[in-house]
Amino acid sequence: MAEAAGDAFAPRLLAWFDRHGRHDLPWQHPRTPYRVWLSEIMLQQTQVTTATPYFLRFVERFPTLPDLAVATTDHVMAHWAGLGYYARARNLHAAAKACVADHGGELPRDFDALHALPGIGRSTAGAILSQAWNDRFPILDGNVKRVLARFHGIAGWPGLPAVEKQLWALAEQHLRDVPDGRLADYTQAQMDFGATLCTRAKPACVVCPVQEDCVARRDGLTAALPTSKPSKVLPEREAVALWLENVDGEILLQRRPETGIWASLWTLPQADTDAGMRDWFTREMKGRYDNAEELPVVVHTFSHYRLHLQPLRLRKVALRDVVRDNDDLRWVARGDLATLGLPAPIRKLLGN
């Protein structure tokens, strides 16, 4: 492993942050443990510009952790809908309930207790502790992995345990050079630096505050580091969805299971095959399935496959009179769709 100057990194990054960092993000004013936690969860897999309006709406509806804990799943998912990676919202809700049950309605200022909460990994726990309380903990999100891999010339995909272990050790090493009381700034500086200067493509090396000691820049490896994840071809899947309306124009929605794709969200009844959808319709509905209007296919890419969803629309149908032991099917007026958590492609399809 090529070595870079250890003491050149943190002080220079902090000096750069003081002049060019982001100091006016909504979760910084006021900077509370709850707001820091919420922002960290939203910023997983999501850029600041995308997450910001969701954050503002979320804290307006759920201003405190106890407010979030007592909210219904539907209300939480409705305020998350469109951000994607919905397990984040389910974990956020579960963690809020755990904090009320076990920590007096507050996030615990303890690494192990934080790490034990749903959806809070090692890096997120460190980010919360350092930003909310200025405690000395490292982070290693995607931005920091990229920065450290370049600065120290670390080859290998950062997702590999052996490579990640090296990067954690370096993150800990640099933390020693951060003055007391500046841990929150240093954490934000690392994220800002990776997001704005040491970017994945076309990094701004010419204005980089640590360029003199960067191994990747010295050895011409900036484009090669970090090593890319081994590529794989996304499998293609097909499914059928039914857009059903009753005589009042209400739309039939079905709640997804608590696990799997779009878990706990409301969506159109769906099946993997036309035959499966037909069987469901025959069992649940009154009407003629063959009269359904075929709409343009909706293509949606998940992290591990690409879905081709064929929507079929059928008006003036009704549910069969059967005994139901759950409320996972619901007629919803078009004006009430916004109150439920719907997947973004389904919300777009319904024009809401």
Side-chain angles (χ1 to χ4, degrees):
M1 180 183 83
E3 291 294 334
D7 62 357
F9 187 78
R12 294 184 190 179
L13 207 59
L14 278 169
W16 170 84
F17 174 76
D18 289 341
R19 295 190 301 271
H20 305 293
R22 294 181 286 199
H23 302 273
D24 296 309
L25 298 171
W27 41 88
Q28 296 171 332
H29 309 285
R31 193 198 299 267
T32 67
Y34 172 65
R35 291 166 69 91
V36 167
W37 168 49
L38 177 58
S39 71
E40 284 300 315
I41 302 302
M42 285 191 168
L43 291 173
Q44 294 169 356
Q45 310 291 338
T46 306
Q47 294 184 344
V48 167
T49 52
T50 301
T52 295
Y54 283 91
F55 175 87
L56 293 172
R57 287 194 295 269
F58 207 92
V59 293
E60 182 179 9
R61 175 60 182 82
F62 314 109
T64 69
L65 188 151
D67 291 325
L68 175 59
V70 299
T72 66
T73 298
D74 283 342
H75 284 156
V76 174
M77 301 310 277
H79 281 74
W80 194 275
L83 262 182
Y85 298 94
Y86 293 99
R88 295 183 297 172
R90 294 192 300 275
N91 286 332
L92 193 77
H93 198 198
K97 292 179 179 179
C99 286
V100 168
D102 302 327
H103 303 293
E106 302 285 349
L107 277 174
R109 186 178 176 177
D110 175 82
F111 179 85
D112 290 335
L114 264 181
H115 197 196
L117 292 172
I120 298 184
R122 179 179 176 182
S123 183
T124 300
I128 294 169
L129 288 163
S130 62
Q131 291 186 96
W133 290 289
N134 257 310
D135 290 344
R136 195 171 293 273
F137 285 92
I139 64 168
L140 195 67
D141 65 2
N143 280 327
V144 178
K145 287 179 178 179
R146 180 170 62 255
V147 169
L148 293 181
R150 284 175 175 165
F151 186 72
H152 290 279
I154 306 297
W157 177 49
L160 294 173
V163 179
E164 190 173 58
K165 184 178 180 180
Q166 279 184 283
L167 296 176
W168 271 116
L170 292 168
E172 292 268 12
Q173 172 188 317
H174 290 306
L175 204 63
R176 301 169 194 158
D177 301 320
V178 180
D180 291 338
R182 298 224 60 190
L183 277 305
D185 287 343
Y186 179 63
T187 295
Q188 188 65 51
Q190 292 176 87
M191 295 187 286
D192 287 0
F193 179 62
T196 62
L197 281 194
C198 196
T199 51
R200 190 183 311 276
K202 298 181 180 177
C205 297
V206 68
V207 293
C208 171
V210 296
Q211 59 177 284
E212 293 177 11
D213 299 291
C214 177
V215 173
R217 185 172 189 269
R218 184 194 70 195
D219 296 347
L221 296 172
T222 305
L225 294 177
T227 305
S228 299
K229 181 180 181 179
S231 61
K232 64 176 182 179
V233 177
L234 281 179
E236 308 282 342
R237 296 187 187 177
E238 296 181 351
V240 180
L242 278 179
W243 177 347
L244 302 174
E245 296 181 22
N246 62 18
V247 293
D248 297 322
E250 295 173 322
I251 299 170
L252 187 67
L253 295 182
Q254 185 174 41
R255 191 199 294 272
R256 298 283 295 180
E258 292 183 359
T259 58
I261 296 301
W262 293 335
S264 298
L265 296 184
W266 289 91
T267 186
L268 300 177
Q270 184 176 316
D272 292 338
T273 64
D274 184 72
M277 196 77 265
R278 183 185 294 272
D279 289 344
W280 180 91
F281 183 87
T282 301
R283 186 172 63 251
E284 301 284 350
M285 307 301 301
K286 298 176 182 177
R288 287 182 55 83
Y289 182 84
D290 290 327
N291 289 346
E293 173 191 3
E294 194 172 280
L295 301 176
V297 171
V298 175
V299 180
H300 185 70
T301 302
F302 295 97
S303 58
H304 52 294
Y305 71 88
R306 184 175 292 108
L307 177 66
H308 298 258
L309 186 65
Q310 174 62 71
L312 303 176
R313 187 174 187 180
L314 198 58
R315 297 176 172 87
K316 297 182 179 179
V317 296
L319 283 165
R320 290 190 180 278
D321 298 323
V322 296
V323 176
R324 301 185 187 279
D325 58 2
N326 59 60
D327 62 346
D328 288 346
L329 280 175
R330 181 188 299 181
W331 291 109
V332 179
R334 181 172 290 278
D336 294 333
L337 290 174
T339 66
L340 298 175
L342 272 67
I346 300 301
R347 190 179 297 277
K348 183 178 180 180
L349 172 68
L350 298 177
N352 190 269

